Amino acid sequence: MKKSGKSASETDLTGPSVLILGAEDKGISRELLALSDYQIKIPMTGTIGSLNVSVAAGILLYEIVRQRSV
């Protein structure tokens, strides 16, 4: 697995993709992380500690659509 350390907007999401999203309390299993090619992050500012998984999914899906429609 490659840890990109890049934000979603800096990562090429134009090709076939699978999003693996983990719940805040359990996260993502090591087995699934080992299968992934990249880990990307959603940059946050201020005092926000984490995002609800549905909010994170919406942000990532928006970014995928944005990149594919350019």
Side-chain angles (χ1 to χ4, degrees):
M1 170 186 51
K2 302 172 195 170
K3 289 188 180 182
S4 74
K6 293 182 179 180
S7 69
S9 62
E10 297 171 324
T11 304
D12 180 7
L13 300 171
T14 58
S17 301
V18 173
L19 296 178
I20 303 172
L21 303 165
E24 185 176 338
D25 60 336
K26 295 184 181 183
I28 300 170
S29 71
R30 292 177 193 243
E31 294 83 12
L32 282 177
L33 286 174
L35 293 172
S36 65
D37 293 323
Y38 299 101
Q39 290 183 36
I40 59 175
K41 60 185 176 182
I42 299 171
M44 298 185 288
T45 60
T47 59
I48 300 170
S50 65
L51 298 172
N52 176 290
V53 69
S54 64
V55 172
I59 292 168
L60 294 172
L61 290 171
Y62 171 82
E63 182 59 26
I64 290 170
V65 171
R66 186 191 71 78
Q67 287 187 23
R68 292 178 182 185
S69 64
V70 173

